[in-house]
Amino acid sequence: MAEVRLPFFRRAHDRRGWLRGAPPPRWVRVLPIVLVVGVCVATLVSPSPLDIGFLLGAIPPLAVLSYGPLATAALGAAVIAVLQAPAFRLNEPGNTDVLTICFVALLSVFVSYVSRRRDAQLDLERTVAEAAQRALVPPVPERVGPVRCAGLYRAAQRGTLVGGDFFDVREGPYGVRAVMGDVQGHGLSAVATVAALLGAFREAVLDLPDLASMAACLDRRLVVDSASARYPELFATAVLLEFSRDGRAVRVLSCGHPPPVLVHGGQAAEIGVSSWTPLGLGLSDGAPPQALTVRWEPGDTLFLASDGVTEGRDAAGVFYPLTDRLAGLADAVDGDPGKLADRVWSDLFRYCRAILDDVTMLVVTPVSPVSPVSPVSPVLLNPSTPTAP
């Protein structure tokens, strides 16, 4: 995927509003000028003087919303000139109104100067924050080894690119592995836990030979962190994937996370993998979790989602039917994982009244040629009898 479909994913409903840091709309920029022109035209066409000079006092404050100090000063000077011009007959109330508007114009120039300095500082801080968050959850490559992949992330907390969900796809000496998880809480308070888990995952991809060992490593990371007073009672759900080198199979291990959905032969069904306890509850001290191997065929798609997707509700309180809708959405994108993530996000947004949790999706498809396999549907594999790829 060339770009991360996180909060960088731009749609009309996803853009920052005017009151949340976006540039003001065009009508706000032209409003001061329209007001000046309107007052001038009204006084010229009226056969008798109009007592509407007070309207000019609103122009400098309006200019602060859209313009810098120089433009605000120019509009203030224009207002004073119009007020004093005999042709418009607006100076009849006397010098008090002129002095008041002069004071308001000077105050507006000062406010505009301070506002622009603060905006510049906030833009710099926002740029630094976005760079840091993108470094934490970088874009998923379009292809990693034998799989194509795409990710979408929509943080619940406005203005952030990272929350309580995470995903990554990495290639190591033991093959390509992927992770999707959801830590306790969301927003900026969960970023430290996300950073710890992603760091542990990336190290485990290089050092550990199997998914059970990786799950134990992630679990131990949270157990150690939760022992400190700063991060009490940490836990996270996660699903780990390991792809065979030839692209024929994928091994799935779930630690309390919603199971992946496999789109196969025009149908979508959850993979019947047994779910282990969430990470951070001492998984490494008990029996190791068991992974399930699922066969892949050309055209199959594996779809992983956070509970922000599966627990989205419509106006009647009905959960979003991901499995029922996924096959139809996948048919329309011709195997493109990025387009499928986009379509599911758009469909989810239309379905729900409001999205209050982090929304995360990871879509993977095989890219290497594979030989024909058994016609038995891979979603019917018995999860109690795991096999090796």
Side-chain angles (χ1 to χ4, degrees):
M1 184 175 65
E3 60 176 341
V4 180
R5 291 174 170 85
L6 306 178
F8 327 128
F9 176 65
R10 300 290 182 184
R11 291 192 183 275
H13 53 257
D14 201 28
R15 296 180 182 136
R16 289 183 299 163
W18 170 36
L19 300 180
R20 297 183 180 274
R26 182 170 299 179
W27 68 266
V28 175
R29 298 180 60 87
V30 303
L31 184 58
I33 300 173
V34 170
L35 189 55
V36 172
V37 173
V39 169
C40 293
V41 171
T43 56
L44 290 176
V45 300
S46 175
S48 59
L50 297 178
D51 190 15
I52 58 174
F54 68 93
L55 294 175
L56 298 177
I59 292 176
L62 287 175
V64 172
L65 299 176
S66 304
Y67 300 102
L70 292 179
T72 301
L75 284 170
V79 165
I80 296 171
V82 170
L83 191 63
Q84 292 287 74
F88 300 113
R89 295 172 293 176
L90 294 172
N91 59 343
E92 295 182 4
N95 291 331
T96 301
D97 289 335
V98 175
L99 293 177
T100 301
I101 292 180
C102 286
F103 175 76
V104 171
L106 290 175
L107 185 61
S108 298
V109 171
F110 173 74
V111 172
S112 177
Y113 172 77
V114 173
S115 177
R116 284 305 171 102
R117 291 291 299 270
R118 290 172 60 89
D119 287 347
Q121 181 64 29
L122 289 175
D123 286 341
L124 176 60
E125 292 177 358
R126 183 181 294 113
T127 300
V128 173
E130 289 185 357
Q133 293 180 83
R134 289 175 181 173
L136 176 61
V137 183
V140 176
E142 290 185 355
R143 175 173 178 174
V144 181
V147 299
R148 297 173 62 197
C149 47
L152 182 148
Y153 196 116
R154 182 65 172 89
Q157 184 170 333
R158 286 182 179 270
T160 62
L161 305 182
V162 177
D165 293 351
F166 62 94
F167 60 83
D168 201 2
V169 182
R170 297 276 168 158
E171 186 171 16
Y174 302 101
V176 175
R177 290 168 176 173
V179 64
M180 170 175 282
D182 183 1
V183 308
Q184 177 189 15
H186 57 77
L188 295 178
S189 61
V191 172
T193 307
V194 169
L197 286 174
L198 284 176
F201 168 77
R202 290 160 185 169
E203 288 295 324
V205 167
L206 300 176
D207 299 331
L208 300 180
D210 55 71
L211 293 184
S213 300
M214 293 182 64
C217 176
L218 299 180
D219 177 72
R220 185 169 58 252
R221 175 73 270 167
L222 285 189
V223 170
V224 172
D225 287 349
S226 63
S228 66
R230 186 178 180 184
Y231 304 111
E233 300 179 358
L234 287 180
F235 68 90
T237 63
V239 60
L240 296 166
L241 305 178
E242 181 180 80
F243 303 95
S244 62
R245 297 185 183 277
D246 60 2
R248 294 173 181 265
V250 55
R251 183 181 286 265
V252 183
L253 188 151
S254 175
C255 297
H257 198 79
V261 178
L262 181 66
V263 180
H264 169 79
Q267 297 182 340
E270 290 185 349
I271 293 178
V273 58
S274 299
S275 181
W276 205 250
T277 57
L279 303 173
L281 303 181
L283 170 73
S284 56
D285 297 331
Q290 297 296 319
L292 170 69
T293 298
V294 177
R295 292 291 180 181
W296 251 5
E297 295 183 12
D300 288 353
T301 298
L302 199 60
F303 189 94
L304 294 84
S306 67
D307 56 7
V309 177
T310 56
E311 296 181 1
R313 299 171 184 255
D314 63 5
V318 179
F319 289 116
Y320 177 69
L322 173 64
T323 304
D324 296 338
R325 296 187 179 220
L326 190 58
L329 295 172
D331 287 342
V333 299
D334 194 25
D336 188 316
K339 291 181 179 179
L340 178 57
D342 287 349
R343 288 182 65 87
V344 174
W345 164 248
S346 298
D347 189 55
L348 175 67
F349 191 88
R350 289 190 298 266
Y351 183 87
C352 300
R353 292 184 302 174
I355 298 176
L356 304 178
D357 199 359
D358 298 333
V359 171
T360 311
M361 306 175 199
L362 181 63
V363 187
V364 290
T365 61
V367 295
S368 59
V370 296
S371 59
V373 295
S374 172
V376 177
S377 175
V379 299
L380 299 180
L381 291 177
N382 185 356
S384 63
T385 57
T387 60

